[in-house]
Amino acid sequence: MTATAEAPAAGEVASFEVTLRIRRMNPEGTSEHGAGEEYWEEHTIQAHATDRVLDALHKIKWDIDGSLAFRRSCAHGVCGSDAMRINARNRLACKTLLKDLNPAKPIMVEPIKGLPVEKDLIVDMEPFFASYREIMPFLMTSGPTPERERLQTPEERQRFDDTTKCILCAACTTSCPVFWTDGQYFGPQAIVGAHRFIFDSRDEGQWDRLEILNDKAGVWKCRTAFNCTEACPRGIEVTKAISEVKKVLNTGEI
Amino acid sequence: MTLHEYDVVIVGAGGAGMRAALESSQRARTACLTKLYPTRSHTGAAQGGMAAALSNVEDDNAEWHTFDTIKGGDYLVDQDAAEILCNEAIDAVLDLEKMGLPFNRTEEGKVDQRRFGGHTRNHGEAAVRRACYSADRTGHMILQTLYQQCIKQEVEFFNEFYVLDLLLDKDPQSTPEGEEVSVAGVVAYELATGEIHTFRAKSVIFATGGAGKVFKTTSNAHTLTGDGMAIAYNAGLPLEDMEFFQFHPTGLAGLGILLSEAARGEGGILRNSEGERFMERYAPTIKDLAPRDMVARAMANEVREGRGCGPHKDYVLLDLTHLEPAHIDAKLPDITEFARTYLGVEPYTEPVPVYPTAHYAMGGIPTNVQGEVLRNNTDKVKGLYAAGECACVSVHGANRLGTNSLLDINVFGRRAGIAAAEHALATEAAAELPEDAEGRLRAWVERLRDTVGTPGAESIAQVRRELQETMDRNAQVFRDEASLSAAKADIAALKERYEAVGIHDRGQRYNTDLLEAIELGFLLDLAEVVVEGALARKESRGGHYREDFPTRDDENFMRHTMVYGGEQLRLDYKPVVVTKYQPMERKY
Ligand SMILES: Cc1cc2nc3c(=O)[nH]c(=O)nc-3n(C[C@H](O)[C@H](O)[C@H](O)COP(=O)(O)OP(=O)(O)OC[C@H]3O[C@@H](n4cnc5c(N)ncnc54)[C@H](O)[C@@H]3O)c2cc1C
Ligand code: SF4
Ligand code: FES
């Protein structure tokens, strides 16, 4: 998804046809499908060069079948609503351009894996947010509150920059083979969330968080499959963050 | 029906809603209802910064900030509110830092600050570094930090609950002036189950954000459909200054995705097809950093006069190519990635195609400086509050300065949270719920469900598209009597067609089809209010530019528009609060 010199200029309309194969499930059933039954459905639509998978889903929902259910809000990759499995890889639908996928084959769109499917592309996000809450994702300090800001050098600020970018989209956690099979593991996002505070020079709650991550549901479950790093739409080096946390646990030094 | 009772119910979990929740939940039993998971709120999309005269990098003070805010708002700002905004700004930023917000830092370790449009030293002498920021993801950091604090304080959220009706104990329009009207609660629709819930509360705070989806080209999220504004309006409350909508100069051409003004704050330059830095002609002193309304009009004018770029000459260029790539990566990483991802343009080496995009509603639900909602020019609705983009205090007047909204949501979100909790604590019992509290919503939902399968029904998407197109064509950067009248006629016809829309999904669970139909109803109501206000305002001020009345007319129009709904839409006016700043010509 990087720059291509031949990309048509804005406003130029290069139209092409694409087919989406969408994994569907209606918990209440439809005239053709039973309640909870999972099935594939295909739609072919006209797309433009700047269209994203989200635009294609909207075309289907708005002009063909309003019952198609998915979450979305910002439409430019910053709110974390629309992580889904697109051609067997976790991505944000609003950040995946159709022209960057092979248009010769149907584009496969499925809900993210490892969380209960509620309807079509919507999954239950509660277990994911529960893991995030578990690692105490808030600044912990002791002593009196200072008058002015707490000081932090640009280098100290840079130390945890990468993990501050997380938008809680769950693409990483739901791409993790350990998370799929192990009912206990917090998943990579919770470690990213903890990393953001562990390496913040202002925070004093590192050891509380590290203790949680040292638990059986924590970092040691990670088998460095790297799926999470590949999946992260914010370009966070998730595996690196996890290994930095492991290293602190091994050495006792931050 | 499920009934819940709370001291305080907050509607919305963006910056304003969560800032309010942090205050309110410390003092009173609070529920925060939100149609999105809190971290999906559009505050997270905000990029450039949050204004406060910290003086961390150069001399600055709250009085200069106040002056800039009032002048930037073209003297439609309530000056008492602007003074509060700018005086409380410093604590608002420091509070966020103490909550853990990772601001960019100066070499000494203080919160760093950058330039932004319309923010100046000593009443317009030169641009000043006032915007506190975290790269170009300041809103993301604010949203995350507030959410993290809400987790810490165990704020009770009702996620994916759509509030769709407001309950008052009396009709605010037929109740005589001076008599008391109180809030009783709200009615919400739960996305996961389709169940309707009534929340009875002593205090209710609306913090539902903007309404950018009234327009086609917008920086706003799909979910920014002005729900809170429309719900208040439909409950008989007025809306203030809705004709003032900010068009941000630099949306990605054809898409509307925002490229922050920080790009120009960091040295970016706007150029036309001749390569000319045209802002030198329109604002000789501060050039590309003039307030947004001026820059947006200048861009539209360049295009109109044939100096646009691209195959259709329909955009201008934002040039960052003279900046160091390392500087771009450090200060503008996200927005340059948007250009790469969505337009395939590499900002290191190529200028980025941009055009104005509908961005921010200056108007909204009228409130006083405690966040209390007004039902006319003087009477408050007891227990009802509003804060953030859905409210109009009015600190932005006719044109909001960049970085003043992230400030607004923190200052007035906090104030509303405190006031609402204190009101609840001082109130014995919430007002009685009206009989059949959820009846109105239930009837609406059932009527829509019954449209499934109706032959020849109107399509939600089609009606919405036509609405957005007429608004872009007729009520955008340039307006006149003819264009606005055309928009008015289109909206009236679309409202009729809306009565015949049909949905596809009859289900109870995750029926987003049904909710889009309801949101479209809100958009139609708000578009009508925008256009009526714009037609009646026969002058040009801030974001509202009438080609048939190109100058500001303080004698007749230095006053707020108040639009009332009901059987017959009605316009009224409210005086502007002036403390010490007399209107002067707005030159930069
Ligand atoms: C792209 C972009 C960049 C920006 N950059 C800046 C900047 O750099 N500096 C600046 O000062 N300002 C900026 N702004 C403006 C600023 O971000 C917004 O005005 C501000 O964040 C609005 O906050 P809010 O809390 O009022 O609303 P939002 O953050 O939009 O939150 C609205 C909340 O209301 C809820 N809600 C809505 N309807 C309902 C309903 N019916 N029932 C229940 N809940 C509901 C939503 O779920 C959400 O939680 C920017 C805006 C955009 C779009
Ligand atoms: S780390 Fe990346 S993939 Fe994981 S939740 Fe955060 S943004 Fe999404
Ligand atoms: S819709 Fe917000 S991230 Fe895709």
Side-chain angles (χ1 to χ4, degrees):
Chain A
M1 289 195 289
T2 45
T4 48
E6 2 18 279
E12 233 174 75
V13 212
S15 179
F16 57 98
E17 216 170 60
V18 307
T19 299
L20 268 70
R21 274 198 94 200
I22 305 171
R23 186 81 171 159
R24 300 203 58 178
M25 186 282 276
N26 189 318
E28 296 162 85
T30 67
S31 47
E32 287 112 63
H33 299 277
E37 178 191 331
E38 295 186 33
Y39 58 97
W40 291 97
E41 194 172 84
E42 269 191 27
H43 292 284
T44 301
I45 52 145
Q46 263 328 100
H48 300 304
T50 55
D51 280 351
R52 301 148 258 176
V53 172
L54 180 62
D55 296 305
L57 291 171
H58 271 146
K59 271 184 196 155
I60 294 165
K61 181 174 182 70
W62 291 343
D63 297 333
I64 303 171
D65 179 2
S67 76
L68 178 64
F70 52 91
R71 291 190 178 99
R72 90 298 185 244
S73 184
C74 73
H76 65 285
V78 296
C79 79
S81 295
D82 59 344
M84 39 190 94
R85 246 168 103 80
I86 298 168
N87 285 350
R89 236 190 81 188
N90 280 3
R91 324 177 202 226
L92 297 177
C94 66
K95 230 185 150 179
T96 308
L97 269 72
L98 293 167
K99 72 174 175 55
D100 294 334
L101 301 167
N102 177 4
K105 282 207 245 151
I107 297 167
M108 314 278 275
V109 184
E110 300 164 76
I112 43 179
K113 274 171 77 171
L115 292 167
V117 178
E118 297 282 329
K119 181 178 178 179
D120 297 337
L121 302 168
I122 295 181
V123 301
D124 179 6
M125 295 293 289
E126 257 325 302
F128 171 78
F129 278 101
S131 294
Y132 180 59
R133 289 193 295 266
E134 202 67 28
I135 52 94
M136 303 193 283
F138 38 80
L139 191 75
M140 291 194 262
T141 55
S142 60
T145 319
E147 259 310 287
R148 291 287 293 198
E149 65 261 54
R150 292 191 168 82
L151 298 180
Q152 181 168 60
T153 66
E155 296 68 40
E156 287 168 337
R157 165 67 180 78
Q158 192 54 35
R159 181 66 191 86
F160 64 103
D161 188 61
D162 203 33
T163 44
T164 63
K165 297 187 302 199
C166 175
I167 54 174
L168 293 161
C169 72
C172 55
T173 294
T174 60
S175 72
C176 173
V178 182
F179 179 79
W180 294 337
T181 48
D182 183 311
Q184 303 284 305
Y185 182 37
F186 291 150
Q189 193 290 322
I191 306 172
V192 165
H195 180 282
R196 178 252 168 272
F197 287 100
I198 291 170
F199 293 93
D200 184 336
S201 58
R202 300 167 297 173
D203 187 76
E204 296 168 38
Q206 308 90 331
W207 297 108
D208 299 306
R209 275 187 213 96
L210 284 163
E211 198 177 318
I212 297 169
L213 294 178
N214 202 15
D215 184 82
K216 57 182 185 326
V219 283
W220 306 115
K221 295 256 177 187
C222 166
R223 285 198 240 101
T224 329
F226 275 101
N227 287 16
C228 50
T229 301
E230 275 162 37
C232 180
R234 298 290 285 158
I236 299 172
E237 294 182 90
V238 182
T239 316
K240 183 169 165 222
I242 296 174
S243 66
E244 286 175 356
V245 171
K246 285 181 180 167
K247 189 165 164 223
V248 173
L249 283 170
N250 280 330
T251 61
E253 268 169 51
I254 295 177
Chain B
M1 136 177 162
T2 313
L3 177 67
H4 309 256
E5 300 204 43
Y6 284 88
D7 289 332
V8 180
V9 163
I10 298 172
V11 185
M18 289 202 283
R19 191 65 188 82
L22 288 176
E23 298 300 330
S24 163
S25 65
Q26 284 180 30
R27 298 170 170 84
R29 212 170 145 255
T30 301
C32 187
L33 279 57
T34 167
K35 73 176 183 182
L36 304 172
Y37 272 87
T39 55
R40 314 297 184 220
S41 304
H42 212 54
T43 291
Q47 302 167 354
M50 168 168 167
L54 290 181
S55 307
N56 275 2
V57 288
E58 57 182 318
D59 202 18
D60 195 9
N61 65 59
E63 195 278 323
W64 295 351
H65 185 188
T66 309
F67 170 82
D68 289 338
T69 300
I70 292 166
K71 180 181 171 192
D74 225 350
Y75 296 91
L76 199 68
V77 171
D78 284 331
Q79 300 186 1
D80 55 339
E83 285 170 5
I84 290 173
L85 179 82
C86 301
N87 287 330
E88 295 185 6
I90 296 162
D91 278 338
V93 167
L94 295 178
D95 283 350
L96 287 169
E97 195 285 330
K98 288 167 198 169
M99 290 178 197
L101 196 139
F103 283 108
N104 275 41
R105 300 289 172 154
T106 65
E107 282 309 319
E108 301 110 58
K110 295 183 193 166
V111 172
D112 197 12
Q113 302 188 272
R114 61 157 63 127
R115 295 191 184 92
F116 240 82
H119 290 279
T120 69
R121 168 159 54 86
N122 196 17
H123 303 204
E125 268 177 24
V128 77
R129 291 172 64 180
R130 186 178 287 148
C132 309
Y133 67 100
S134 183
D136 54 358
R137 19 183 117 100
T138 315
H140 165 77
M141 300 302 183
I142 290 178
L143 192 70
Q144 296 294 326
T145 303
L146 292 174
Y147 181 59
Q148 291 158 357
Q149 291 296 308
C150 286
I151 292 176
K152 183 175 177 195
Q153 278 191 36
E154 300 183 10
V155 170
E156 195 175 343
F157 286 107
F158 288 82
N159 295 327
E160 302 193 321
F161 273 59
Y162 285 65
V163 169
L164 299 174
D165 206 357
L166 169 65
L167 304 171
L168 304 174
D169 67 345
K170 282 185 221 125
D171 171 31
Q173 292 214 21
S174 58
T175 307
E177 264 183 45
E179 258 180 54
E180 206 163 85
V181 174
S182 302
V183 76
V186 296
V187 188
Y189 176 100
E190 183 183 2
L191 182 66
T193 61
E195 200 187 330
I196 292 177
H197 298 251
T198 300
F199 287 78
R200 185 176 176 216
K202 296 173 186 169
S203 301
V204 169
I205 305 175
F206 270 29
T208 52
K213 280 289 153 180
V214 163
F215 294 93
K216 176 171 174 235
T217 310
T218 175
S219 64
N220 282 197
H222 284 289
T223 48
L224 286 177
T225 46
D227 303 8
M229 300 171 185
I231 291 164
Y233 179 69
N234 289 326
L237 299 173
L239 293 177
E240 180 174 346
D241 289 342
M242 291 292 287
E243 65 271 32
F244 293 101
F245 211 95
Q246 177 166 83
F247 301 94
H248 192 295
T250 52
L252 278 186
L255 294 170
I257 296 171
L258 194 77
L259 301 185
S260 171
E261 198 170 293
R264 284 170 286 137
E266 296 291 349
I269 291 170
L270 291 165
R271 298 189 190 280
N272 59 22
S273 59
E274 291 157 18
E276 183 204 8
R277 181 179 195 178
F278 57 86
M279 280 313 297
E280 283 177 335
R281 274 188 277 121
Y282 296 87
T285 313
I286 56 176
K287 305 184 182 81
D288 298 273
L289 285 177
R292 292 175 179 175
D293 58 319
M294 294 181 144
V295 182
R297 272 196 301 279
M299 291 167 63
N301 199 52
E302 290 301 301
V303 165
R304 204 158 60 162
E305 293 182 353
R307 291 186 294 277
C309 309
H312 307 289
K313 294 176 154 301
D314 56 357
Y315 54 77
V316 301
L317 295 171
L318 174 64
D319 186 359
L320 303 175
T321 55
H322 54 291
L323 304 180
E324 280 300 316
H327 184 70
I328 291 179
D329 289 348
K331 300 294 174 74
L332 308 167
D334 278 3
I335 60 169
T336 43
E337 193 194 307
F338 297 154
R340 288 180 200 115
T341 304
Y342 296 110
L343 288 185
V345 168
E346 175 47 68
Y348 294 160
T349 53
E350 295 167 88
V352 185
V354 290
Y355 199 72
T357 182
H359 185 56
Y360 184 85
M362 269 75 74
I365 305 167
T367 73
N368 64 17
V369 295
Q370 308 309 336
E372 293 171 290
V373 172
L374 302 174
R375 69 177 175 94
N376 53 41
N377 287 4
T378 47
D379 291 318
K380 302 171 287 202
V381 180
K382 263 187 80 178
L384 183 61
Y385 302 79
E389 192 168 337
C390 74
C392 180
V393 226
S394 137
V395 287
H396 308 303
N399 170 62
R400 170 176 75 83
L401 289 188
T403 68
N404 265 355
S405 174
L406 291 177
L407 176 58
D408 173 9
I409 61 179
N410 278 285
V411 167
F412 289 99
R414 174 176 168 275
R415 284 181 155 250
I418 296 172
E422 283 176 353
H423 171 78
L425 294 178
T427 305
E428 190 105 9
E432 285 303 319
L433 290 174
E435 228 173 281
D436 192 22
E438 87 283 11
R440 195 157 45 167
L441 177 57
R442 183 173 303 282
W444 194 4
V445 166
E446 274 167 17
R447 195 185 66 73
L448 280 170
R449 281 217 171 87
D450 285 343
T451 64
V452 175
T454 310
E458 289 282 352
S459 127
I460 304 166
Q462 192 53 31
V463 171
R464 186 176 48 216
R465 264 194 286 266
E466 289 182 34
L467 171 70
Q468 292 168 338
E469 272 161 17
T470 187
M471 291 301 282
D472 266 24
R473 200 164 48 242
N474 295 313
Q476 221 227 20
V477 175
F478 294 116
R479 304 166 167 180
D480 65 16
E481 176 91 28
S483 75
L484 292 166
S485 302
K488 180 175 166 167
D490 286 347
I491 295 166
L494 290 167
K495 283 191 108 166
E496 228 158 86
R497 285 169 58 191
Y498 178 69
E499 293 306 311
V501 290
I503 63 171
H504 296 164
D505 192 348
R506 194 193 291 279
Q508 298 289 329
R509 310 211 43 215
Y510 290 96
N511 192 337
T512 50
D513 194 23
L514 178 106
L515 287 158
E516 281 194 38
I518 291 178
E519 289 170 333
L520 173 60
F522 295 154
L523 290 177
L524 285 162
D525 290 339
L526 294 178
E528 186 177 30
V529 176
V530 169
V531 168
E532 288 287 355
L535 264 171
R537 188 172 282 276
K538 298 187 190 317
E539 65 156 351
S540 291
R541 182 187 295 273
H544 169 70
Y545 190 81
R546 288 279 305 252
E547 296 197 271
D548 42 356
F549 300 96
T551 52
R552 197 173 80 195
D553 174 0
D554 287 337
E555 194 150 327
N556 294 304
F557 287 105
M558 199 178 127
R559 53 185 191 175
H560 300 292
T561 306
M562 300 282 272
V563 177
Y564 295 81
E567 291 291 286
Q568 187 76 47
L569 184 146
R570 177 168 66 84
L571 263 84
D572 199 354
Y573 292 93
K574 187 167 76 124
V576 171
V577 180
V578 175
T579 57
K580 60 182 184 205
Y581 302 92
Q582 289 309 316
M584 54 186 226
E585 201 196 336
R586 205 166 58 120
K587 275 204 302 229
Y588 287 93

